[in-house]
Amino acid sequence: LWWLTVCSQYSAAMAGLLLLYESAVGYGLFTIEEAEEISINEASVQAAVQDLGKFGKICKLNAFVPFSSARDALDNINNVSEGQLPELLKAFLEKNLPKIKSKKKSKFQLGVSDHRIG
C-alpha cells in the first residue's frame, strides 16, 4: 500500500511519476495516470485498492518482469533490502524507464519503497 500512498501525495499537474513495485513474483512498474486526492488514512487507501475502477484511474501497470524461481526472488529482494541493485532490476529499469538525453534533467520521477535503491 506504500505506493498508493505515494500516489496521493502528488497533484494531477505532476507529470512523469512512475512507481516501482517489488513483489514476491517480480517487479512491476506503474505509471500514475491521474492523481486523485486519497487521504493517507488507511481506510481510504484500502477502499481505493479494492475498487478496481478507482485504482485503474490512479495507476496503470506499465511493465512487469517475473522472477525465474523462488531462489531468484529471494536473492533479488535480499539485494534490494541491502541497498544493492540486482542485475534483473537494473536491466528492467533500463529497458522500461524513459530515456534521458545526456546533460538534461529527466522528465520523470521514480518512486521506490526503499530509499537505499533510490
Side-chain angles (χ1 to χ4, degrees):
L1 296 179
W2 68 268
W3 48 273
L4 196 55
T5 303
V6 170
C7 292
S8 70
Q9 296 173 359
Y10 290 86
S11 69
M14 182 68 181
L17 178 61
L18 303 168
L19 298 175
L20 175 66
Y21 180 68
E22 306 133 21
S23 74
V25 296
Y27 297 112
L29 187 64
F30 287 84
T31 302
I32 303 307
E33 294 293 317
E34 174 182 316
E36 291 184 3
E37 287 299 319
I38 301 172
S39 170
I40 295 179
N41 174 342
E42 187 174 326
S44 296
V45 173
Q46 286 287 342
V49 170
Q50 293 175 2
D51 181 349
L52 185 58
K54 191 170 189 177
F55 177 78
K57 289 180 182 177
I58 299 169
C59 298
K60 185 170 274 185
L61 181 63
N62 202 33
F64 180 79
V65 63
F67 296 125
S68 60
S69 66
R71 180 70 193 166
D72 186 37
L74 182 61
D75 289 343
N76 271 267
I77 298 305
N78 282 339
N79 284 342
V80 168
S81 72
E82 294 170 5
Q84 300 170 1
L85 188 64
E87 275 302 313
L88 177 66
L89 179 54
K90 181 180 177 186
F92 175 68
L93 292 174
E94 286 175 347
K95 179 181 178 185
N96 294 292
L97 288 178
K99 305 298 181 232
I100 302 170
K101 294 181 181 178
S102 62
K103 299 183 181 181
K104 294 220 175 186
K105 187 175 179 177
S106 67
K107 295 182 179 180
F108 69 91
Q109 291 184 352
L110 179 63
V112 296
S113 63
D114 193 326
H115 69 278
R116 291 176 287 190
I117 63 167

